[in-house]
Amino acid sequence: MTRSERLADQLDWYWSKNLRPRLEGLTDEEYFWEPVRGCWSIRPCGTSAAPMSEGSGVWTMDFASPAPVPAPVTTIAWRLAHIIVSCLGYRVGWHFGGQDLESQAFAYAGTADDALKQLDEMYGRWNAGVRELSDADLDNPPTVGPERFPMENRVLHVNRELIHHGAEISLLRDLYRWQDGAVPRRI
């Protein structure tokens, strides 16, 4: 097994055994659920109360630059959009010849099903690209994008990002299911 296959398999194991199964049955109600006031989310264009919003379609993503400290709680919709665009989309475009994504021009998903389709597409493109990297590719900095560390560092960074944001999404699903101390909803 090559280094790139081991790196891809690390994330693919998490994707197949943990994250993707935990997203099955995600409803729009859960996708947009705000566990506290002031959550950042994906919202219809022109309705955000966040300092800024980005996106080119009917739906936009709440954000601020610089990010507030502490960062606001985010919805599953926001977390999925972050994974799709910032964690995977930018890097697919930079490193694997895909179309460059711009968060300002991205058409954010207004339903859980559409977000999961976007996620599956970006994950598939990322995983396929990583599997094609040679040892020399992994040892050298990428030639496109802002990253100046070896590509292997970028791959490991994306793996960490998906694992930790996936855990946050899973926790939000658990909180949604157990809200108000009720018997958990089946998801």
Side-chain angles (χ1 to χ4, degrees):
M1 181 179 282
T2 66
R3 280 171 54 205
S4 61
E5 289 170 332
R6 281 194 306 272
L7 292 167
D9 281 352
Q10 177 193 42
L11 185 57
D12 206 40
W13 184 90
Y14 171 73
W15 173 265
S16 301
K17 301 291 183 194
N18 291 287
L19 180 57
R20 199 56 184 89
R22 287 295 309 267
L23 295 172
E24 290 303 318
L26 181 67
T27 66
D28 290 347
E29 184 180 330
E30 287 177 273
Y31 179 67
F32 289 116
W33 178 61
E34 297 188 23
V36 298
R37 283 188 310 260
C39 282
W40 278 4
S41 191
I42 302 300
R43 303 186 190 284
C45 187
T47 66
S48 177
M52 306 168 89
S53 61
E54 56 189 9
S56 66
V58 175
W59 297 88
T60 60
M61 182 178 185
D62 297 337
F63 86 106
S65 183
V69 177
V73 173
T74 58
T75 64
I76 291 172
W78 193 97
R79 286 274 161 220
L80 285 173
H82 177 66
I83 290 171
I84 293 161
V85 175
S86 301
C87 299
L88 294 171
Y90 291 157
R91 289 169 177 89
V92 165
W94 294 335
H95 307 309
F96 303 129
Q99 179 182 4
D100 282 348
L101 282 182
E102 290 293 329
S103 56
Q104 289 292 341
F106 189 75
Y108 292 95
T111 68
D113 285 344
D114 287 345
L116 294 177
K117 287 175 190 166
Q118 290 176 339
L119 179 67
D120 289 341
E121 178 188 348
M122 281 302 164
Y123 177 75
R125 291 171 64 193
W126 172 258
N127 193 271
V130 170
R131 289 181 183 283
E132 294 297 318
L133 295 170
S134 68
D135 284 352
D137 294 331
L138 291 168
D139 290 337
N140 292 304
T143 57
V144 179
E147 290 119 355
R148 297 294 169 239
F149 297 100
M151 184 64 181
E152 184 170 25
N153 291 35
R154 294 297 91 211
V155 172
L156 290 168
H157 174 72
V158 170
N159 288 4
R160 285 188 304 270
E161 285 285 293
L162 262 66
I163 291 167
H164 98 256
H165 289 307
E168 292 165 339
I169 291 167
S170 296
L171 176 61
L172 284 169
R173 287 203 83 187
D174 290 343
L175 291 171
Y176 177 83
R177 184 174 47 172
W178 284 90
Q179 64 185 309
D180 301 326
V183 174
R185 296 178 179 129
R186 187 158 182 88
I187 53 176

